[in-house]
Amino acid sequence: MTTSRAGDLLRRPGEPQRATFLELFFDLAFVLALTQLSHGLASDLSWRGAFQTLVLLLVTWWVWFITAWLTDNLDPQRPAILLVVTATMVGTLVMAAALPDAFGEQGLVFAGTYAAVHIGRQLFFVIALRGHELRRTAGRVLFWFGVSAVPWIAGALADGTARVALWTLAVAVDYAAYALRYPTPGLGRAPTSDFPTLAEHYRQFYIIALGELILVTGMALSGTAFSPDGTGAFLVSIATTMLLWRIYIYRAGELLSAAIAAAPEPARLAGPASYAHLAMVSGIVVTAVGAELVIAHPLGHTQLAWIATILGGPALFLAGRAIFEHAVFGRVSRDRPIGLVVLAALTPAMLLLPPLLVALAATAVLTGVAVSDATRARGHPPEPPSPPGAPS
């Protein structure tokens, strides 16, 4: 049975799962978070810095993902949901402000806010959804965020390697609990029908990530005094941004909603779609680091770590885009793995070239992928979605 109070919080059956203005407003907080991540990686281009950035990116993504899951089921127009989403946004902004020094003096602020956001939000829904079957899943999620809060807070009170290890464990707990459908004593596992599809939300977050890339590119240009080489690097970065948008949206990005509707088990398709978008967003964050370096030092000496970001960002994007394409169409176009192989093959030679030419090489590879997409589609009717397991 569903009490009237709990039922009032839910979206109406059959209501389109389009992002509301509240959800779009909430997503704006992640422009700051992603910008902080790219700046942090740019300031520490080491294996340690890369791993710490990965941990923080996974945390950032998880705050967005769990919130999007809730607003996918609940009506953001209700005052109670408005309050919860707004409070989560404020917490996200606090976390974003603490990101640059999360592994330093602001560790407790960052981890404490993260744990408080998740536990407070889930506790609210456990109370508000009394009498509805979704309350059990809210309770399962609350239990596991309580478990992961232990290494989060313990890590914040530790230093150095111990903090990295404890926070890595905490992230693993958060992601593994979801993957295992939150097995909880006395409640069992959550049914797959409770898990989100988030088609519209993924596209929305991807655009937010591209906005972060444009922001970083523009800020980097402002520090060059508009020198010819810096302006040229800026134009290459903008071309790369346009290609990242074009390759994403054509055609899998346009058809994710239809693919989920055509899938025999939509919730199972949502998993690969989530991992694919996380990989693509990671690629954009790394690409933003590369763009910042190239615009600041277009004709300088190219370091190996710089090549890893300039070429690695597009490579991460193509890898995620391949997973995404398989989720929508049940196959992967040859130009995706070919692009990855070409980027890897170019790496040794790039040590001999200035950063601007390295960036131009990455843009050329993405251009080849986009042209291949257009050529393959020319003269053929639009391909309908055909997710794995769907009837032919």
Side-chain angles (χ1 to χ4, degrees), residues 105-123:
E105 295 183 358
Q106 301 304 322
L108 189 57
V109 172
F110 178 81
T113 303
Y114 175 80
V117 162
H118 285 305
I119 292 175
R121 180 186 54 214
Q122 294 306 129
L123 183 60

Side-chain angles (χ1 to χ4, degrees), residues 1 8 30 52 63 65 73 83 96 116 134 142 147-148 185 219-220 223 234 283 285 303 349 357 367 371 373 391:
M1 293 290 293
D8 287 344
F30 292 89
Q52 290 180 354
V63 173
F65 179 83
N73 288 311
L83 177 63
L134 284 177
L142 174 61
V147 172
S148 71
M219 292 176 63
F234 167 78
V285 170
Q303 303 174 29
L357 292 183
T367 301
V371 169
D373 285 346

